[in-house]
Amino acid sequence: MKTLLRNESLRNIAIIAHVDHGKTTLVDHMFRQCGEFRENQSVEDRVMDSMDLERERGITIAAKNCSVHWKGVKINILDTPGHADFGGEVERALMMVDGAVLLVDASEGPLPQTRFVLKKALEANLKIIVAVNKIDRKDARPQEVINEIYDLFIDLDANEEQIEFPLLYAIGREGIAQTTLEEKGDSLAPLLDAIVGEVPAPTYDPDEPFQMLVSDLDYSEFLGRLAVGKIANGEVHCNDDLVCIGVDGKARTLRVNKLQAYDGVKISDVERSLAGDICIMAGIEDVHIGDTICNKTTPKALKRITVDEPTVAMKFGVNSSPFSGREGKFVQSTKIRERLMKETLSNVALRVEDTSDPNVFMVKGRGEFQMVILIETLRREGYELSVGRPQVIFREENGAVIEPIEHLFVDCDEHFVGIVTEKLSGRKGRMINLVNHGSGRVRMEFSIPSRGLIGYRNEFLTDTKGTGILNSYLEGYEPHRGDFPLRLTGSLVADRQGDASPYALFNLEPRGVLFIPPNTAVYEGMIVGEHNRDNDLNVNATKEKKLTNMRAAGRDENVTLTPVTPMTLERAIEFIKDDELVEITPKSIRLRKSILPASQRK
C-alpha cells in the first residue's frame, strides 16, 4: 500500500447550500476577516457574484474560486450555485475540493437544492462541516432544523463518519460564527478554525509525476484559453513543457506560458504550484473540461469528470421574423452556433446538436431555468434568436418509454392547498407528504413528471397570490405517466403588419389578456394576447377608428386600457405552445407563431 503525503499548507473547500441561504455573503465576511481587503478599501456586497445577472437575480450561477489565508494555511474556496439547474457547475467544483461547508437557513431548514448538492458532496466522500445560518431570524428554529439535517444525512445513506459532522451556528450577514447557540460570537474564527482543523489537507503521491485534472475553463484577451484545475500529483513551473490528454486519449503538447493562482478575489502570477493547489494555466488552445495535463515523459490520464445527463431540450434558431436584424448585432446562424459551442466549453452540463435545418440547433441542459439564463446572456451580448418550447428528453428502457420525474416541494398558505393539489394532479403529480405545523402555512411534497412543471410556475404564483414557494430536484426516471393538456387557452394572433392602435386593443380586451401596449409594432403571425377560448384567433390589432361628421377624432378617443404586465423571458417560454416561438432581441421579447402567414397555418 502506497503512503500518500498531505500538503498541510492548503485546504480546498466548497460552500454548498440552497438558493438564498447566504453562501456568497458568508464568503464576503471571510475575505474581510482574513485581511484580504485594506482597511479603507470600498468593497461592494456579494463580491463573488461577478456577473450582472447574478447581481440582479441575487443568485449564484457559475461556480467561482477565491482564497483566504488563515493562521498560515491557504484556504481555496469555491462558491457554488444552489440551483439544481446549474448542477454541472456543482459537480465540476466538487472535483477540486476535499471538504464542504453546508449552509442551512435556521428557519427554512434543508430544502430540495440542499439535498441535491449534499448528495453530490457525500458521493464524492467529502468532509462536511454544517453551519446553521441566520440564527438571528425571528422565525429561527435551530433545534428542529438540526434534526432535519440529521434526517437528511441518514436519508442520503451517509456513513457514520459523515454523520458525525462538526456543527456551527452563524449569522452570515454580520460575519459571526459560534460553536453553541448560547454564546455570543464576534467573528468567523470558529468556522475558519473548523475548516483548518476538520477538512483534510489535499493528498498526493510523491512517486507520481505531475498530473492536473482540468475542471474549469476561462478566457483572457491577452493569454487566450486558460485551464483551471487542482494539481493531483507533482508540481508545475512556469515555462514547463507538458502534454494534455483529451477524451480521445491522444497527448497534445503544450508549454506553460503563464502560471497563476487565486489570491483573495484576485488572480496573481506564480513561478510554481504544488500538489493540492488550484492553479490557472495559459498556453494551450485545444483543451476541454475533464482533460488531464501531465508530464511529457510519463503521460498518465486521470479519471474524467462525469456529469448527470441533460433532461430538457430546446430549439434555438435564427430570428426569421419581419423585424429581424433591427435591434441585434449578431443574427446569422453561424454566429449563434459559434456562441453556443463556446458556451459548451465552459458549461459541462450543456450540449449543442445540429438539426436537419441548418438555421436551428438543439440545446440540451438540466432545466428551463438554465436555458433562460443562457438566452438572457446571449441577448445581452447582442444576439437575435428565436427559441421553441422546452421539451423533456425521454429515454427508452427495455422497450418502454421512461421520463424524468421531479420531487417537488410546495410551501404555501393552507387555504391554497385545494387549488395547488388540483392543478398538480391534473399534471400527473402524486402527493407524497403533507405537513401542517399549525402556523398557517403548509408544506406538501409531490412526485411529478418534469414536463408537468414546464409552464406551471407562473400559474402557481397566480393561484397562491404570490406567496407560495416551489422547489424541486430530479428524482430519477419512471415509466411515462401519460399525456395531459398543458395550456387550455389559445392565442390572439395579429393578421397584418403595422402599429397596434388603442381603439383596436380596447375592442380586443373582452377576447382575452393582451400582451402588448398601444403603438407596439406588430406583424402577421405575432401573438398579441391570450385568447379566452382554446382556439387561436386572428385579429386586426392595427384597426383605426373610422371618422365621419358625427364621429370626431377627439370624441371618446380616450379609451382606458387595462395595464399590460411586461413580458419576461420566463413567462414567454412557459406560455408558448409547440407551434409557437419566442423571438428574442437585445431590446424586445415577442411571441409569434412558427408559421407566420395565416393561410399556411391552417
Side-chain angles (χ1 to χ4, degrees):
M1 181 86 181
K2 277 188 175 180
T3 52
L4 296 177
L5 301 182
R6 290 188 185 276
N7 183 349
E8 289 296 342
S9 64
L10 281 172
R11 298 290 185 278
N12 298 320
I13 62 150
I15 298 208
I16 57 178
H18 184 84
V19 186
D20 258 356
H21 280 198
K23 299 181 294 297
T24 309
T25 308
L26 188 77
V27 175
D28 273 7
H29 283 281
M30 283 185 173
F31 284 144
R32 289 193 170 92
Q33 295 183 23
C34 292
E36 299 299 335
F37 300 135
R38 293 191 316 275
E39 284 298 315
N40 59 349
Q41 189 173 346
S42 67
V43 182
E44 50 188 15
D45 284 342
R46 304 202 329 271
V47 70
M48 291 298 283
D49 282 351
S50 49
M51 291 162 61
D52 287 346
L53 267 175
E54 293 182 314
R55 293 202 154 277
E56 284 166 31
R57 290 171 180 258
I59 57 169
T60 303
I61 293 169
K64 287 178 282 301
N65 305 36
C66 59
S67 73
V68 296
H69 292 269
W70 182 253
K71 296 183 178 174
V73 175
K74 179 183 177 185
I75 303 173
N76 283 314
I77 302 170
L78 273 85
D79 187 10
T80 62
H83 262 282
D85 278 21
F86 307 117
E89 295 287 318
V90 177
E91 283 155 41
R92 220 164 37 71
L94 295 182
M95 293 292 289
M96 294 195 263
V97 298
D98 306 288
V101 176
L102 174 70
L103 222 55
V104 182
D105 188 301
S107 163
E108 295 178 5
L111 288 174
Q113 322 302 27
T114 317
R115 184 191 183 94
F116 171 80
V117 283
L118 178 62
K119 181 167 180 267
K120 297 282 173 203
L122 291 174
E123 282 169 5
N125 211 12
L126 302 181
K127 175 71 182 178
I128 310 285
I129 296 171
V130 175
V132 178
N133 195 20
K134 306 188 187 182
I135 53 170
D136 57 334
R137 279 180 65 156
K138 284 191 178 69
D139 56 352
R141 43 184 194 98
Q143 269 335 115
E144 290 169 48
V145 166
I146 290 163
N147 291 339
E148 287 172 18
I149 295 169
Y150 278 113
D151 290 346
L152 178 60
F153 270 77
I154 292 163
D155 203 20
L156 292 175
D157 295 332
N159 59 37
E160 279 183 28
E161 197 182 325
Q162 288 168 329
I163 290 177
E164 297 290 317
F165 50 78
L167 181 62
L168 294 163
Y169 303 91
I171 306 173
R173 197 174 49 183
E174 294 171 20
I176 293 171
Q178 49 202 51
T179 48
T180 63
L181 269 175
E182 293 72 37
E183 72 176 275
K184 286 283 168 271
D186 56 3
S187 71
L188 286 176
L191 175 63
L192 292 159
D193 288 340
I195 291 169
V196 172
E198 298 284 348
V199 174
T203 56
Y204 64 96
D205 187 335
D207 304 330
E208 286 288 336
F210 171 75
Q211 287 174 305
M212 175 180 119
L213 184 70
V214 179
S215 302
D216 196 2
L217 295 177
D218 208 343
Y219 187 80
S220 156
E221 294 293 332
F222 306 105
L223 302 169
R225 184 73 57 75
L226 303 173
V228 182
K230 176 181 160 188
I231 300 173
N233 295 304
E235 60 180 70
V236 64
H237 301 80
C238 204
N239 298 324
D240 273 1
D241 287 318
L242 303 169
V243 292
C244 173
I245 301 174
V247 69
D248 52 6
K250 290 181 184 158
R252 298 183 294 281
T253 54
L254 74 127
R255 187 182 180 93
V256 184
N257 298 339
K258 206 175 191 79
L259 196 61
Q260 298 172 310
Y262 292 97
D263 182 12
V265 198
K266 305 187 302 294
I267 292 169
S268 51
D269 295 353
V270 291
E271 277 306 307
R272 69 168 191 160
S273 272
L274 304 174
D277 206 354
I278 293 172
C279 73
I280 305 158
M281 214 178 268
I284 175 167
E285 276 311 303
D286 188 15
V287 62
H288 297 90
I289 288 175
D291 292 358
T292 302
I293 295 175
C294 48
N295 260 6
K296 217 172 185 176
T297 46
T298 46
K300 208 173 185 183
L302 293 161
K303 185 168 168 264
R304 288 187 80 84
I305 294 176
T306 53
V307 176
D308 288 354
E309 291 294 308
T311 55
V312 168
M314 237 170 129
K315 282 182 176 166
F316 281 53
V318 294
N319 179 12
S320 57
S321 85
F323 296 168
S324 170
R326 289 188 185 182
E327 296 171 357
K329 283 192 291 187
F330 308 109
V331 291
Q332 308 92 326
S333 60
T334 48
K335 290 280 184 197
I336 294 170
R337 184 181 189 278
E338 205 176 281
R339 178 63 185 82
L340 290 171
M341 288 302 180
K342 186 181 163 196
E343 189 67 26
T344 58
L345 292 177
S346 58
N347 190 337
V348 281
L350 213 62
R351 295 188 193 164
V352 177
E353 294 169 8
D354 292 318
T355 64
S356 51
D357 182 342
N359 291 330
V360 178
F361 314 102
M362 186 64 83
V363 180
K364 295 180 176 178
R366 288 288 177 82
E368 56 189 301
F369 188 52
Q370 185 189 21
M371 298 294 190
V372 165
I373 295 293
L374 171 62
I375 296 163
E376 184 63 49
T377 308
L378 292 184
R379 78 181 277 226
R380 288 180 183 211
E381 290 173 10
Y383 286 83
E384 266 193 35
L385 62 154
S386 59
V387 299
R389 183 180 171 79
Q391 302 288 348
V392 166
I393 301 169
F394 296 116
R395 290 190 194 166
E396 207 169 284
E397 205 174 76
N398 305 329
V401 175
I402 58 172
E403 64 172 335
I405 300 290
E406 305 269 340
H407 193 111
L408 176 72
F409 292 75
V410 179
D411 186 331
C412 67
D413 285 349
E414 50 192 17
H415 45 272
F416 298 130
V417 170
I419 182 78
V420 170
T421 311
E422 184 189 333
K423 290 275 177 76
L424 288 174
S425 58
R427 290 165 173 262
K428 303 289 180 191
R430 299 173 189 154
M431 188 189 282
I432 307 166
N433 194 9
L434 187 148
V435 181
N436 189 343
H437 289 299
S439 60
R441 282 184 83 80
V442 175
R443 273 199 179 180
M444 296 182 280
E445 292 177 43
F446 290 85
S447 159
I448 186 168
S450 294
R451 61 199 163 98
L453 288 178
I454 294 174
Y456 176 63
R457 210 166 288 272
N458 272 326
E459 218 175 296
F460 171 74
L461 285 174
T462 310
D463 291 342
T464 60
K465 299 193 169 40
T467 61
I469 302 170
L470 265 192
N471 283 300
S472 66
Y473 67 88
L474 185 71
E475 197 169 40
Y477 283 76
E478 280 184 24
H480 191 271
R481 289 192 184 176
D483 294 324
F484 50 84
L486 283 166
R487 194 176 106 208
L488 304 170
T489 55
S491 303
L492 298 173
V493 188
D495 65 358
R496 67 199 71 192
Q497 194 160 332
D499 289 342
S501 70
Y503 175 73
L505 294 182
F506 181 71
N507 289 314
L508 286 177
E509 278 198 337
R511 299 282 189 171
V513 180
L514 296 178
F515 295 156
I516 58 164
N519 305 319
T520 305
V522 298
Y523 54 80
E524 184 182 6
M526 180 171 151
I527 297 168
V528 296
E530 182 177 7
H531 191 200
N532 290 335
R533 300 195 176 169
D534 60 358
N535 61 321
D536 292 342
L537 187 67
N538 292 317
V539 297
N540 179 1
T542 63
K543 191 160 112 186
E544 294 287 354
K545 180 179 172 187
K546 293 281 180 285
L547 305 181
T548 65
N549 309 0
M550 300 294 289
R551 303 172 115 177
R555 177 86 52 84
D556 71 11
E557 71 168 0
N558 54 345
V559 291
T560 313
L561 293 166
T562 309
V564 172
T565 311
M567 183 55 74
T568 61
L569 200 48
E570 281 105 323
R571 197 168 140 229
I573 286 170
E574 288 180 351
F575 176 79
I576 55 172
K577 287 183 171 174
D578 291 339
D579 66 335
E580 295 168 351
L581 299 172
V582 183
E583 174 190 338
I584 292 140
T585 75
K587 293 179 185 169
S588 317
I589 295 171
R590 301 184 187 98
L591 303 177
R592 51 163 284 192
K593 287 288 181 187
S594 40
I595 300 169
L596 295 177
S599 54
Q600 293 177 26
R601 256 182 273 140
K602 289 191 174 84

